[in-house]
Amino acid sequence: MTTPEHQPNDPEPTRPPGSAAPRYQDRVYRSPAALVGGVLLLALIGWLGIDAVVTGEGRTPWLALATMLLLVPLVVAYTLRPAVYVNDDRLRVRNPFRVIELPWGQVASLRSGFSNEVFDESGTKYQLWALPVSLRARNKAVRAETRAAAQAARAARAGSGSEGSGSGAGSGARASAGRGGLGPGGVPSGPKRAESDRAMDEMREMHELRQSEGAAQGEVTVRWAYEIAGPAVVGAVLLAVLLGVG
């Protein structure tokens, strides 16, 4: 499941007369489950690591420090860091070790399969780590949609069978149709979708609307997250040295 957020509402700069439509704050998509899991893992690593540093003897404190230096950046990278930022001009994908900025004019397609992915015009694929695909959530959404459609069909049959029987029966049918995500007249209000699939649908709509706009053109940029990779590499090297000297 993913949660769309909005950046804090900072005051917008004064816009010159005749400028383009106002720009909106980035919409942010993250995985609440990953955030919760990351916090719990960091708490566990901190508890065990600090205990080993304080009470350990010999090389144990150094091994604990090296292990923490290796694990903490990796946990942050794969749980707390991933996010997808969307605005009128571009899609910014923050993955564990990279930040990719794709102007909408450079986005070729957004695809969903066993993972959610974005392809640029050159055919390069970038995975959206912040939008994990949950087959369980998809199956749950399909079951909910099936139940809503079945209820709509029953309400339609009940309504046709009670024509001319008075307003009381009609109101009862309407009340029945209003349950289970049904709209007026017993028609489903819309297809049920998993959270990550809804996020992908929203991004596809934005892509369709903005891909030809002048402000949404530019080059794809990729920046490596050395602030994450560096400490992890140092921790791995230190841990290997400590284990090697035995």
Side-chain angles (χ1 to χ4, degrees):
M1 184 180 293
T2 59
T3 301
E5 305 169 356
H6 292 278
Q7 297 282 18
N9 293 323
D10 298 328
E12 291 190 3
T14 304
R15 303 183 56 82
S19 58
R23 296 166 60 89
Y24 297 96
Q25 298 291 336
D26 285 2
R27 189 169 191 182
V28 186
Y29 296 96
R30 308 175 75 101
S31 172
L35 296 175
V36 172
V39 170
L40 293 177
L41 281 174
L42 289 175
L44 179 62
I45 293 171
W47 174 41
L48 296 176
I50 293 174
D51 180 70
V53 170
V54 173
T55 63
E57 299 178 354
R59 293 187 309 144
T60 300
W62 291 105
L63 287 171
L65 286 173
T67 303
M68 292 174 65
L69 190 58
L70 170 63
L71 293 182
V72 169
L74 294 179
V75 171
V76 171
Y78 285 101
T79 60
L80 306 184
R81 178 179 168 81
V84 176
Y85 299 82
V86 178
N87 65 20
D88 287 346
D89 296 338
R90 56 100 177 98
L91 174 69
R92 183 158 68 98
V93 181
R94 194 171 72 185
N95 280 343
F97 299 105
R98 293 192 299 177
V99 176
I100 306 104
E101 293 200 14
L102 301 104
W104 289 118
Q106 288 292 327
V107 174
S109 63
L110 291 138
R111 303 180 192 176
S112 298
F114 291 105
S115 63
N116 290 313
E117 302 158 345
V118 57
F119 288 78
D120 66 16
E121 291 292 344
S122 67
T124 305
K125 177 179 72 174
Y126 304 100
Q127 187 173 347
L128 306 180
W129 283 82
L131 296 174
V133 170
S134 171
L135 297 180
R136 179 175 177 272
R138 283 184 177 175
N139 292 333
K140 181 178 179 181
V142 169
R143 289 195 299 269
E145 185 177 359
T146 301
R147 287 196 299 269
Q151 187 172 354
R154 290 195 300 269
R157 289 196 299 269
S160 61
S162 60
E163 288 182 357
S165 60
S167 59
S171 61
R174 287 193 296 271
S176 175
R179 295 192 296 269
L182 301 179
V187 178
S189 57
K192 299 290 183 180
R193 301 281 281 167
E195 291 288 341
S196 62
D197 292 335
R198 284 206 297 266
M200 293 295 288
D201 290 342
E202 292 173 2
M203 285 189 285
R204 290 189 187 101
E205 291 176 5
M206 181 65 74
H207 175 231
E208 291 294 327
L209 290 173
R210 299 290 302 174
Q211 61 179 331
S212 60
E213 298 294 330
Q217 308 306 311
E219 297 295 328
V220 177
T221 61
V222 179
R223 182 181 68 82
W224 288 92
Y226 296 108
E227 68 277 10
I228 295 291
V233 170
V234 171
V237 172
L238 180 58
L239 185 60
V241 170
L242 290 172
L243 293 175
V245 297

